[in-house]
Amino acid sequence: MQRPGPFSTLYGRVLAPLPGRAGGAASGGGGNSWGVLGSHVQPPGRAQSGTRAGVGSTGTHGGDANSACPAPSTMSKAEEAKKLAGRAAVENHVRNNQVLGIGSGSTIVHAVQRIAERVKQENLNLVCIPTSFQARQLILQYGLTLSDLDRHPEIDLAIDGADEVDADLNLIKGGGGCLTQEKIVAGYASRFIVIADFRKDSKNLGDQWHKGIPIEVIPMAYVPVSRAVTQKFGGVIELRMAINKAGPVVTDNGNFILDWKFDRVHKWSEVNTAIKMIPGVVDTGLFINMAERVYFGMQDGSVNMREKPFC
């Protein structure tokens, strides 16, 4: 019989801290957090003989020293919060024989870690669909079953992060440049669950996230698209430039990204539709009426869950 996870019977807005944290259970669901630099993911190391890899373990880790995770006391509040949110979503929603959509970014790493732990502990049969090159590498590095939409066009559950979430669960995504594939996977999922830390929770889009709404565009059209968006909706648009290469960021699809820094609150559903109708636009980082539930890891070690409001 499948053993319920520590979050499986909890309902309401605030969930209990994870095991291994102050106030949490003493055993079960531990696991370490592994360092992530950019899109490079360090796979789990092995605990030394006589120690158990998990929260509260005092032993050092075998293998490459660079794969050892920071101690909980040195992990940032934001990173701890990401871990809390990711693990809570996995405990509450991942079940045997599911096809999972795996998002991109730093927060999803913690969810994939917990998925891999549960696959090993509970012998779960799961298939994973990536939303980016980074997500694909993450799936492979943790030994999960990789597939695609050709073989599995129907997805049971997609889990992904967000750059910002407003009061109506509208999202800004695409800070990592993977917005189009993320939206495709989320759009074909029966359930779309979002995980984030406390910094991403806003009343209105733009309250916390000031880098703009990403718009993926065909390279030849980035100038006319920029003009069309600003003429219709105001604000400022910047072509996203790469850091470690000369020239602009190029997406996994071979396109450019424009970051639209809007100057007022809009009716986002109408704006999203209008921008997508501009010739040359592939998609936007506005995820409107898509998320069913969002888990926010909080600074105090709890998890705040918000669901889509009912009209």
Side-chain angles (χ1 to χ4, degrees):
M1 179 179 295
Q2 181 173 319
R3 185 178 63 184
F7 287 86
S8 59
T9 59
L10 298 174
Y11 298 89
R13 291 178 58 83
V14 179
L15 306 181
L18 284 172
R21 294 183 54 84
S27 63
N32 284 313
S33 172
W34 312 98
V36 179
L37 294 176
S39 62
H40 177 69
V41 180
Q42 294 285 1
R46 293 183 299 173
Q48 284 186 335
S49 176
T51 65
R52 181 174 66 86
V55 174
S57 173
T58 57
T60 57
H61 300 281
D64 185 356
N66 291 330
S67 68
C69 70
S73 60
T74 62
M75 187 181 294
S76 72
K77 288 286 187 181
E79 200 63 29
E80 283 275 6
K82 293 177 184 180
K83 181 177 180 179
L84 288 167
R87 294 174 73 89
V90 171
E91 297 297 342
N92 276 338
H93 299 286
V94 173
R95 300 291 181 265
N96 195 26
N97 297 319
Q98 284 181 327
V99 177
L100 302 179
I102 302 298
S104 305
S106 59
T107 308
I108 197 67
V109 174
H110 300 292
V112 173
Q113 288 170 356
R114 183 56 187 149
I115 291 170
E117 290 172 0
R118 289 192 58 195
V119 166
K120 184 176 181 180
Q121 294 166 359
E122 304 171 33
N123 196 30
L124 300 181
N125 177 34
L126 302 174
V127 173
C128 298
I129 312 295
T131 57
S132 64
F133 177 85
Q134 180 227 4
R136 181 181 184 276
Q137 296 304 104
L138 193 61
I139 292 165
L140 292 174
Q141 289 178 16
Y142 278 91
L144 300 172
T145 301
L146 176 69
S147 189
D148 52 43
L149 289 173
D150 291 344
R151 288 172 286 182
H152 292 89
E154 296 181 2
I155 300 172
D156 297 303
L157 171 70
I159 302 177
D160 205 347
D163 297 312
E164 189 170 35
V165 183
D166 75 5
D168 296 320
L169 300 197
N170 295 316
L171 316 174
I172 294 178
K173 289 178 53 57
C178 308
L179 58 115
T180 298
Q181 291 177 206
E182 289 174 337
K183 189 175 285 189
I184 290 170
V185 170
Y188 286 108
S190 297
R191 306 185 71 185
F192 177 39
I193 305 300
V194 175
I195 53 179
D197 64 75
F198 53 89
R199 302 171 301 171
K200 311 300 177 64
D201 188 6
S202 296
K203 180 180 179 181
N204 298 303
L205 296 182
D207 287 351
Q208 306 289 341
W209 179 256
H210 304 299
K211 297 182 180 180
I213 295 171
I215 304 170
E216 185 164 346
V217 298
I218 302 298
M220 67 173 291
Y222 85 91
V223 171
V225 169
S226 300
R227 290 170 55 86
V229 172
T230 54
Q231 287 174 0
K232 187 172 182 64
F233 298 111
V236 176
I237 278 192
E238 298 175 355
L239 176 64
R240 188 181 297 183
M241 303 303 291
I243 296 175
N244 292 322
K245 68 173 280 289
V249 167
V250 178
T251 71
D252 288 356
N253 308 309
N255 298 317
F256 290 171
I257 291 182
L258 302 173
D259 290 306
W260 173 43
K261 298 180 180 180
F262 53 93
D263 54 9
R264 63 185 184 276
V265 175
H266 293 268
K267 295 181 179 179
W268 294 118
S269 180
E270 296 177 6
V271 168
N272 183 53
T273 300
I275 292 177
K276 289 174 66 173
M277 293 298 294
I278 297 172
V281 170
V282 178
D283 215 325
T284 80
L286 287 167
F287 284 52
I288 307 300
N289 198 33
M290 295 184 70
E292 172 186 325
R293 182 177 291 185
V294 181
Y295 291 89
F296 293 102
M298 307 305 290
Q299 290 174 291
D300 63 1
S302 64
V303 175
N304 189 358
M305 184 273 289
R306 283 173 42 204
E307 293 184 296
K308 181 186 298 184
F310 292 96
C311 299

